[in-house]
Amino acid sequence: MKKIAYLIVVVFILFLSCKKIENNRIYNLNENSESKFMVDLLRKINSEGDPLEYFHWNKKIAEYYKDRISGSPKKDRFKIWLSYCYELLLAGENQKCIDEIETKIYKDKTSYDTLIMAALPVMELLGLAYLRLGEITNCSNNHNQFSCILPLVNEGQHLEKTGSQKAIEIFSKIYQKYPNEKYKWILNLAHMTIGEYPYEVPEDYFIDYSIYNQKDDFPPFREIASQLGIDVNGLSGGVSLEDFNNDGLTDIFATSYGMEDQCKLFFNTGFGFEDVTEKAGLKGILSGLNCLHADYNNDGNTDILILRGAWLGSSGKHPNSLLRNNGDGTFTDVTKSSGILTFHPTQTASWADVNRDGFLDLFVGNESKPNQYNPCELYINQGDGKFLEKSKEYNLDKINGFIKGLVFGDINNDQWPDLFISVLGGKNYLFKNELGFFKDISESAGVEAPYYSFPCWIWDVNNDGFNDIFVASYDSRNLINLASDFSKEIEGKYVDSEKSKLFINNGNETFTESSQEFNIDISMYAMGSNFGDIDNDGWLDFYIGNGSPELTSTIPNRMFRNVDGTRFEEITLAGRFGHIQKGHGVGFADLDNDGDQDVYAVMGGAFQGDTYPNACFENPITDKNWVVLKLIGEISNRSSIGSYLEIVLDNGRKIFRNINTGGSFGSSSLQAEIGLGKNNLIKKLSIIWPSGKNQTFKNLISNKKYMIFENDSKIVEVKYSKLNLMAEKHNHEHN
């Protein structure tokens, strides 16, 4: 009996020991992981940073000015106090800002009219604080699918009207003394928020916005992010739409610019979305102005790259993050061991197999200024999970500029990925890939404009089999007048800012600038954007996320529909895409498996208080046919990035596509989601893989998903049925 008891005790002790060992093993694994290295590094950067060097640490900056007011010379106190109020506004402390200014007005026994003449910046601050207070109270805190989307219908108008009413009172007085287009647009917008537009807007500053709503035949999309629980609330960030757990459903990964903001991973359950950020081992992976995905190690699991430090100059020496997908629902930060750990201000990068060895390489565009050079980096994949920096060997080491966008794409159909780079405040670059050596052909190709540019992409806009280039304008000389320019454009007035450029490929390594011909010769002030086919007609459309750090730049994001590859028409209002909060990362993907592309857009500005829940626009179009193609590289890179598709339809029409994630901000799904219009049959599908291998398949039926392996002569039909993503209710608080 004693022996049995003793044995039980021993077994129990051994069990506890094993459990302890197991727990310690797990603990130590986490403690010693590379992910912990990055988490600790990001925490260190945040804790040691000087608030005055980070323009978006507005609460800390406000405290700095507040502490200086009383101890400063009397002649400096007003200026410091004004800076304090301004930082309160930027921090989202709108009521505090209002109380500070209104209290001073009361104590000084002055009036709005007097202050407008004597201290206009004070009244502008007060008006903006009231306007933002109205937005936060009504649109952020009581968010619904109609909030902040033009036209502002009843459900999207403010129930609590005080903020907008006070803003109207103040800005109408300002406009009387200093009439300009900026105040004019703000006033019209404020009237819209409380249901007074157009009939109650005074004639002297009324803007007829109806000209933007001419395409009434286009169906409205529903903004459903809050209903799905994917309405992440943060600053400008990036998005990756991809099947990260290989269950055939498209998931969502989103980042935020805020240095203390957690990245978010949502798995698509088929009945809704589940926040798996912590389960996935991503807790503590913070910040990121952009992200993009690809399977860099060819293990069949899609990995994620996060980019950091942009806009911060010498203070933006932040690491990027390479998140390896472990294939079990978790990720590990392998930035250090992979060899890509550097410290530069970075916003853009792109994946491509530049030497065609079957592994994806990575080009990172860093921001250089006249007094601060940050070289761009080309990381060549060694095939063992590691990269070597080889920009000099590939003739990409002399790029010097404030790099804001870049993308790989084949511009001459030789199956070698070429490289386009967008420079803000400089000439853009086009590098031709000559068997692994990059030659600068920017000037001869005619693609150096615009001088002030931002997002860009390579696509076949007219389906002629040659890739074209789009570069969105971002005239940084004029950001404070962004609202003015938009107002002028609505009214048909001349806008003195640089326009976006569409370069049509001539088929001989030269391009013709055709933005005017395609009806997009306009100033867009694009912070983020991407393209896709939202109406399944086989022509590629695009969405622009507009804005600037200025709080006056409250203009709508914009959607443009491609009309038969000949021109674009704006469908911003008709499709209900006109979100007036600032837009950044944009991704196109079929989130609900119904054959059409939905749009996920990351919202929010650059300042701490300029946040807004992300948006997801559900596609209602059901009258067109489609096909989904999932390509699996076996000789080529597993993601099949760089593959070239030619589709011949039953009416003889051809559609050309390239496998990539789209534009340089936001990443669309790597599965090819292609609209076929009214055509029921694909007579022929031709694929040229990055390896150079050719495949042809005939007589594919529409409205199906097919999986294609590079080394297999067969095409596999995959189950693809519409999901009910509204089946689960999502109760959550905004982050």
Side-chain angles (χ1 to χ4, degrees):
M1 195 70 183
K2 288 183 179 179
K3 288 183 178 180
I4 295 173
Y6 175 78
L7 186 61
I8 292 172
V9 170
V10 170
V11 170
F12 183 70
I13 292 172
L14 286 172
F15 171 77
L16 291 178
S17 299
C18 291
K19 193 71 176 176
K20 185 176 180 181
I21 292 170
E22 182 184 356
N23 289 337
N24 285 338
R25 181 183 63 79
I26 294 170
Y27 177 80
N28 290 331
L29 176 65
N30 290 333
E31 286 295 298
N32 296 323
S33 69
E34 282 198 80
S35 293
K36 184 178 184 301
F37 167 83
M38 182 58 69
V39 168
D40 289 345
L41 181 58
L42 295 174
R43 188 185 296 121
K44 184 173 186 290
I45 291 171
N46 289 338
S47 64
E48 297 179 356
D50 183 351
L52 297 182
E53 294 183 0
Y54 296 114
F55 62 83
H56 56 333
W57 280 13
N58 306 109
K59 290 182 181 179
K60 293 180 181 179
I61 299 172
E63 288 300 313
Y64 168 82
Y65 285 120
K66 183 182 180 181
D67 293 341
R68 288 187 63 201
I69 295 173
S70 60
S72 298
K74 192 172 181 179
K75 64 180 178 64
D76 297 330
R77 288 178 190 172
F78 176 79
K79 184 179 179 181
I80 296 171
W81 172 82
L82 185 60
S83 296
Y84 168 58
C85 292
Y86 182 59
E87 292 299 330
L88 285 176
L89 174 66
L90 299 182
E93 302 284 355
N94 303 294
Q95 191 62 60
K96 280 188 180 181
C97 179
I98 291 167
D99 292 343
E100 276 288 330
I101 297 174
E102 293 283 15
T103 300
K104 185 172 181 59
I105 291 172
Y106 178 78
K107 286 182 177 179
D108 294 349
K109 297 180 180 179
T110 187
S111 67
Y112 285 178
D113 290 321
T114 302
L115 272 177
I116 288 169
M117 297 300 294
L120 178 61
V122 175
M123 293 308 297
E124 281 191 334
L125 274 184
L126 185 59
L128 285 172
Y130 274 118
L131 193 64
R132 284 294 297 167
L133 183 65
E135 290 176 354
I136 298 299
T137 302
N138 292 276
C139 301
S140 293
N141 297 344
N142 295 290
H143 184 61
N144 64 59
Q145 63 175 312
F146 302 99
S147 298
C148 286
I149 296 177
L150 297 178
L152 293 172
V153 297
N154 291 335
E155 296 93 329
Q157 292 166 3
H158 294 185
L159 296 175
E160 173 50 57
K161 299 183 178 184
T162 304
S164 290
Q165 288 171 336
K166 290 292 292 185
I168 291 169
E169 178 189 351
I170 293 166
F171 280 112
S172 61
K173 290 178 178 293
I174 295 175
Y175 184 80
Q176 290 171 13
K177 299 292 184 182
Y178 307 102
N180 67 37
E181 299 294 332
K182 176 176 70 175
Y183 301 136
K184 199 173 177 179
W185 170 248
I186 290 173
L187 281 163
N188 277 264
L189 185 61
H191 281 287
M192 290 180 196
T193 65
I194 55 177
E196 294 181 353
Y197 182 93
Y199 303 109
E200 297 179 54
V201 181
E203 188 176 348
D204 61 331
Y205 60 73
F206 173 70
I207 297 174
D208 185 3
Y209 197 51
S210 63
I211 63 170
Y212 264 67
N213 199 19
Q214 295 177 351
K215 305 298 175 186
D216 295 327
D217 58 334
F218 194 86
F221 282 47
R222 286 196 306 162
E223 203 286 279
I224 59 172
S226 61
Q227 295 168 264
L228 295 178
I230 54 176
D231 52 335
V232 181
N233 194 349
L235 301 181
S236 298
V239 61
S240 282
L241 304 180
E242 188 57 72
D243 179 7
F244 291 112
N245 57 356
N246 290 329
D247 64 353
L249 308 177
T250 301
D251 311 305
I252 300 172
F253 179 83
T255 61
S256 170
Y257 187 40
M259 295 178 65
E260 297 178 350
D261 290 349
Q262 173 68 54
C263 71
K264 289 289 186 178
L265 176 63
F266 299 94
F267 278 169
N268 189 335
T269 67
F271 304 98
F273 285 88
E274 178 188 3
D275 186 343
V276 297
T277 306
E278 193 165 347
K279 290 182 185 177
L282 296 172
K283 186 178 181 180
I285 302 298
L286 310 175
S287 188
L289 196 54
N290 193 9
C291 59
L292 59 157
H293 57 269
D295 182 359
Y296 79 91
N297 56 0
N298 289 349
D299 66 351
N301 304 305
T302 304
D303 315 293
I304 302 170
L305 179 74
I306 301 175
L307 305 172
R308 301 188 179 96
W311 296 110
L312 297 176
S314 58
S315 300
K317 295 179 179 179
H318 297 176
N320 301 320
S321 277
L322 179 58
L323 306 177
R324 185 190 67 212
N325 188 335
N326 299 319
D328 59 358
T330 69
F331 290 77
T332 300
D333 192 307
V334 295
T335 310
K336 186 177 181 182
S337 66
S338 68
I340 70 166
L341 178 64
T342 56
F343 298 86
H344 301 290
T346 309
Q347 181 161 332
T348 185
S350 189
W351 295 98
D353 185 0
V354 302
N355 55 8
R356 294 178 63 183
D357 66 350
F359 289 91
L360 288 172
D361 311 299
L362 175 66
F363 186 82
V364 179
N366 296 312
E367 299 173 350
S368 290
K369 295 180 176 180
N371 59 347
Q372 181 197 353
Y373 176 60
N374 290 296
C376 295
E377 299 152 317
L378 175 64
Y379 293 102
I380 298 299
N381 196 327
Q382 301 302 292
D384 58 358
K386 301 183 186 300
F387 296 82
L388 292 177
E389 207 289 310
K390 296 285 187 178
S391 58
K392 185 175 182 178
E393 289 87 334
Y394 285 77
N395 195 39
L396 294 172
D397 60 318
K398 297 180 178 63
I399 301 167
N400 189 358
F402 201 68
I403 311 301
K404 299 309 296 179
L406 64 90
V407 63
F408 283 104
D410 184 4
I411 59 101
N412 54 5
N413 292 348
D414 64 354
Q415 283 77 61
W416 289 87
D418 311 298
L419 176 63
F420 182 83
I421 300 175
S422 168
V423 179
L424 182 63
K427 294 180 179 180
N428 298 323
Y429 295 94
L430 177 60
F431 288 94
K432 174 187 174 184
N433 188 340
E434 296 184 335
L435 308 181
F437 180 87
F438 285 87
K439 177 183 178 182
D440 186 351
I441 62 169
S442 315
E443 185 176 0
S444 63
V447 296
E448 293 181 316
Y451 190 80
Y452 296 95
S453 61
F454 209 150
C456 58
W457 57 73
I458 293 176
W459 60 343
D460 190 352
V461 70
N462 54 3
N463 271 327
D464 66 349
F466 288 94
N467 278 323
D468 313 298
I469 299 172
F470 175 81
V471 197
S473 59
Y474 193 78
D475 199 332
S476 56
R477 303 167 300 175
N478 207 32
L479 292 182
I480 196 169
N481 295 316
L482 190 153
S484 298
D485 285 356
F486 183 71
S487 177
K488 289 177 182 177
E489 183 187 316
I490 292 173
E491 297 186 298
K493 299 177 180 178
Y494 174 72
V495 178
D496 185 22
S497 66
E498 204 168 18
K499 310 302 189 293
S500 299
K501 303 298 180 184
L502 175 63
F503 297 105
I504 297 298
N505 197 325
N506 298 321
N508 59 358
E509 299 180 2
T510 69
F511 294 78
T512 300
E513 206 290 297
S514 304
S515 58
Q516 191 168 5
E517 177 187 347
F518 278 75
N519 198 36
I520 51 173
D521 183 36
I522 55 179
S523 56
M524 294 180 179
Y525 292 101
M527 293 199 304
S529 56
N530 214 329
F531 65 90
D533 182 7
I534 60 167
D535 54 358
N536 273 346
D537 64 352
W539 303 100
L540 292 172
D541 319 298
F542 69 96
Y543 187 63
I544 294 290
N546 277 315
S548 82
E550 298 292 330
L551 294 185
T552 56
S553 64
T554 309
I555 66 173
N557 302 298
R558 305 167 75 172
M559 180 70 82
F560 295 86
R561 176 178 176 266
N562 189 335
V563 182
D564 300 331
T566 59
R567 62 185 176 86
F568 287 93
E569 62 181 20
E570 186 165 0
I571 53 170
T572 297
L573 290 191
R576 294 199 56 79
F577 296 105
H579 208 302
I580 60 174
Q581 298 295 329
K582 293 159 189 172
H584 203 257
V586 177
F588 288 69
D590 184 7
L591 295 175
D592 52 3
N593 282 11
D594 64 349
D596 52 44
Q597 291 190 312
D598 312 291
V599 180
Y600 189 87
V602 176
M603 314 305 294
F607 295 122
Q608 197 168 15
D610 197 9
T611 65
Y612 198 82
N614 293 349
C616 182
F617 300 97
E618 180 191 33
N619 197 323
I621 295 173
T622 59
D623 62 341
K624 304 272 188 3
N625 295 318
W626 49 270
V627 68
V628 174
L629 303 173
K630 178 67 174 179
L631 273 62
I632 309 296
E634 294 176 306
I635 305 170
S636 306
N637 67 90
R638 184 81 174 180
S639 296
S640 73
I641 290 174
S643 294
Y644 178 85
L645 310 179
E646 178 183 342
I647 292 174
V648 182
L649 302 177
D650 51 8
N651 65 353
R653 179 188 167 192
K654 293 183 179 181
I655 297 174
F656 299 92
R657 290 288 185 273
N658 300 273
I659 302 297
N660 55 47
T661 58
S664 46
F665 295 97
S667 297
S668 300
S669 172
L670 285 168
Q671 68 177 13
E673 299 163 354
I674 303 171
L676 306 176
K678 297 293 186 180
N679 296 277
N680 296 307
L681 182 70
I682 298 174
K683 290 178 64 176
K684 186 170 73 171
L685 166 65
S686 300
I687 303 172
I688 302 177
W689 295 82
S691 65
K693 183 173 181 175
N694 289 266
Q695 283 182 324
T696 300
F697 303 94
K698 294 183 178 180
N699 298 325
L700 304 182
I701 300 172
S702 65
N703 303 333
K704 295 182 180 295
K705 177 177 179 178
Y706 299 96
M707 184 174 289
I708 306 169
F709 291 85
E710 186 175 8
N711 286 334
D712 199 337
S713 59
K714 297 179 181 179
I715 189 167
V716 181
E717 183 181 335
V718 180
K719 183 181 178 182
Y720 201 71
S721 53
K722 181 174 173 57
L723 309 175
N724 181 13
L725 296 181
M726 300 293 189
E728 295 178 353
K729 293 184 178 180
H730 300 270
N731 298 314
H732 66 286
E733 296 180 356
H734 290 141
N735 302 297

